[in-house]
């Protein structure tokens, strides 16, 4: 089967697969009022996930990130990992988590086949962490990070959303941490969603400011690897950890887009923003529907736009990133 490609020559070998919209945190930039169920949502089951993974693998997907909501709240999370890990065309299997269940389950997930993990830690100050996430769980999450390092994950990354007036004084603490700890920090610029124009205006902090500071302090921009995605990564001889900056408002951010998203209800999203998503669920019921599913994927790729329109204040229908998994 031919690989997924759009009209701008971009190939898509990375799938971000959401498995639930549910979350137990209330991050102020994402779900400030916590998760509110819309009716009785039915998220993709294991059979649907297996069919989805199988089809994407056949058209060139090599990396799958399991995301949410909070993906680890699914009772069958380890089974989901195993489904992805059992597909020998998928070489990289990752997840993004708030770390709430990590301390207890890191080893179990590793044994199921998970190899990379991103943990969201927006502040290293427990009080600020509480203020941003709505949960007083800093110590538990940090115990989870330690457990992930011990379990032997290939990569442990920490995601922190840059927030003016909240965690913008935290850089020295983060730097101190990664001096001796082999962790990849990812600073993510706040993206405006349908929920929060006022919030965005109050808290958006440009990653470019951090970039200048890092360069001034002797950090060097690394060559990017094929599956690195849009992050600009920096390293420094005196530090064991690395720093990545994700700046969706930078020019050319979309030029190397290599990712597609499927929501927990089985909708294909060609971009995090600007469109509604195309239902795949009717074709996820049986292995025998694979050819038809792949045809739909190829057809949809022709509609992928060259870029997002965030600069114009277009946030599309994405109310919050918990619904697509970031
Ligand atoms: N619950 C998991 C977590 O928080 O890691 C996975 C889902 S969460 C939607 C995925 C990532 O998106 C997290 O690192 C989160 O910080 C980030 N995120 C959520 N809303 C965002 C926004 N408006 N701008 C930038 N990043 C955002
Ligand atoms: Fe939940 Fe993650 Fe959104 Fe925070 S960022 S509310 S942990 S889905």
């Amino acid at each position: 089967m031919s690989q997924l490609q759009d009209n701008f020559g971009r190939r898509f070998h990375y799938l971000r697969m959401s498995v639930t919209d549910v979350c137990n945190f209330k991050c102020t930039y994402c779900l400030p009022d916590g998760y509110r169920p819309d009716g009785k949502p039915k998220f993709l089951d294991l059979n649907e996930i297996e069919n989805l993974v199988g089809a994407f693998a056949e058209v060139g997907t090599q990396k799958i990130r399991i995301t949410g909501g909070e993906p680890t709240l699914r009772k069958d999370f380890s089974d989901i990992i195993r489904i992805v890990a059992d597909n020998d065309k998928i070489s990289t299997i990752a997840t993004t988590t708030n770390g709430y269940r990590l301390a207890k389950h890191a080893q179990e997930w590793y044994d199921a086949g998970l190899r990379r993990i991103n943990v969201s830690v927006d502040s290293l100050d427990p009080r600020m962490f509480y203020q941003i996430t709505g949960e007083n769980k800093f110590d538990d999450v940090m115990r989870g990070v330690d457990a992930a390092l011990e379990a032997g994950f290939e990569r442990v990354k920490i995601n922190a959303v840059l927030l003016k007036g909240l965690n913008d004084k935290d850089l020295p603490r983060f730097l101190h941490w990664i001096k001796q700890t082999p962790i990849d920090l990812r600073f993510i610029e706040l993206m405006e969603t349908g929920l929060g124009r006022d919030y965005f205006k109050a808290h958006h902090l440009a990653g470019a400011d951090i970039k200048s500071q890092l360069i001034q302090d002797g950090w060097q921009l690394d060559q990017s690897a094929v599956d690195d995605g849009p992050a600009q990564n920096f390293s420094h001889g005196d530090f064991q950890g690395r720093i990545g900056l994700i700046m969706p408002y930078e020019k050319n951010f979309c030029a190397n887009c290599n990712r597609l998203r499927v929501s927990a209800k089985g909708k294909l999203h060609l971009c995090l923003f600007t469109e509604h998503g195309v239902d795949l669920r009717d074709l996820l019921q049986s292995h025998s529907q694979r050819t038809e599913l792949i045809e739909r994927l190829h057809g949809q790729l022709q509609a992928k736009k060259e870029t997002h329109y965030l600069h114009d204040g277009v946030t599309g229908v994405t109310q919050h990133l918990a619904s697509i998994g970031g």
Side-chain angles (χ1 to χ4, degrees), residues 15-27:
L15 173 66
R16 296 178 69 101
M17 178 175 74
S18 178
V19 295
T20 182
D21 291 353
V22 179
C23 188
N24 54 338
F25 279 27
K26 301 184 200 67
C27 299

Side-chain angles (χ1 to χ4, degrees), residues 289-312:
Q289 296 172 295
R290 182 167 295 179
T291 308
E292 215 183 322
L293 175 58
I294 287 176
E295 276 167 13
R296 187 175 294 173
L297 294 177
H298 277 299
Q300 286 306 318
L301 256 288
Q302 305 318 305
K304 185 165 164 65
K305 300 208 172 68
E306 189 170 12
T307 184
H308 61 57
Y309 296 94
L310 291 180
H311 303 97
D312 306 330

Side-chain angles (χ1 to χ4, degrees), residues 23 29-30 67-71 96-98 120 159 161 188-191 193 321-322 325-326:
C23 188
Y29 52 79
C30 183
T67 180
E70 177 46 41
T96 305
T97 173
N98 62 24
S120 295
N159 288 0
V161 179
I188 308 172
E189 245 181 56
L190 179 66
M191 289 174 249
T193 59
L321 300 197

Side-chain angles (χ1 to χ4, degrees), residues 169-217:
K169 304 277 179 311
D170 272 26
L171 188 60
R173 284 188 203 230
F174 276 116
L175 289 176
H176 180 72
W177 188 30
I178 64 168
K179 193 142 198 182
Q180 310 291 351
T181 317
I183 271 186
D184 283 9
L185 272 179
R186 321 295 297 287
F187 289 123
I188 308 172
E189 245 181 56
L190 179 66
M191 289 174 249
E192 184 181 346
T193 59
L195 274 183
R197 173 149 291 202
D198 290 346
Y199 187 95
F200 179 79
K201 282 190 182 152
H203 295 297
H204 179 258
L205 177 68
D209 297 349
I210 309 260
K211 182 174 170 177
S212 321
Q213 192 176 334
L214 291 175
I215 289 171
Q216 217 174 20
D217 294 347

Side-chain angles (χ1 to χ4, degrees), residues 12-185:
F12 297 87
H13 51 77
Y14 176 16
L15 173 66
R16 296 178 69 101
M17 178 175 74
S18 178
V19 295
T20 182
D21 291 353
V22 179
C23 188
N24 54 338
F25 279 27
K26 301 184 200 67
C27 299
T28 50
Y29 52 79
C30 183
L31 292 174
D33 302 319
Y35 171 69
R36 300 265 173 93
D38 175 13
K40 266 200 180 163
K42 206 177 157 290
F43 303 119
L44 295 175
D45 64 26
L46 295 178
N47 174 53
E48 291 170 317
I49 288 173
E50 193 170 352
N51 289 327
L52 182 77
V53 169
F56 271 87
E58 225 168 288
V59 286
T61 298
Q62 294 161 6
K63 172 175 175 181
I64 291 186
R65 178 174 301 279
I66 308 168
T67 180
E70 177 46 41
T72 68
L73 293 181
R74 280 217 23 179
K75 293 202 171 59
D76 54 2
F77 185 61
S78 292
D79 297 322
I80 297 173
I81 295 170
R82 266 189 288 275
I83 286 174
V84 182
D86 280 353
N87 190 311
D88 54 18
K89 294 197 175 82
I90 306 297
S91 51
T92 306
I93 160 162
T95 197
T96 305
T97 173
N98 62 24
Y100 175 77
R101 300 184 74 211
L102 187 54
K104 202 160 164 212
H105 295 277
Q107 193 64 53
E108 177 194 329
W109 301 336
Y110 181 87
D111 292 343
L114 190 66
R115 287 295 174 267
R116 296 189 185 184
I117 192 154
N118 287 32
V119 189
S120 295
V121 184
D122 290 323
S123 176
L124 292 180
D125 169 358
R127 279 167 308 177
M128 183 53 68
F129 180 93
Y130 183 17
Q131 191 177 330
I132 295 172
T133 63
E135 286 294 323
N136 198 4
K137 296 280 180 218
F138 176 77
D139 291 337
D140 302 79
V141 172
M142 293 307 275
R143 265 196 295 280
V145 173
D146 289 340
L149 287 167
E150 273 163 35
F153 283 93
E154 263 168 32
R155 273 195 201 164
V156 179
K157 289 188 181 169
I158 300 299
N159 288 0
V161 179
L162 295 168
L163 297 165
K164 188 164 69 188
L166 292 169
N167 62 7
D168 50 354
K169 304 277 179 311
D170 272 26
L171 188 60
R173 284 188 203 230
F174 276 116
L175 289 176
H176 180 72
W177 188 30
I178 64 168
K179 193 142 198 182
Q180 310 291 351
T181 317
I183 271 186
D184 283 9
L185 272 179

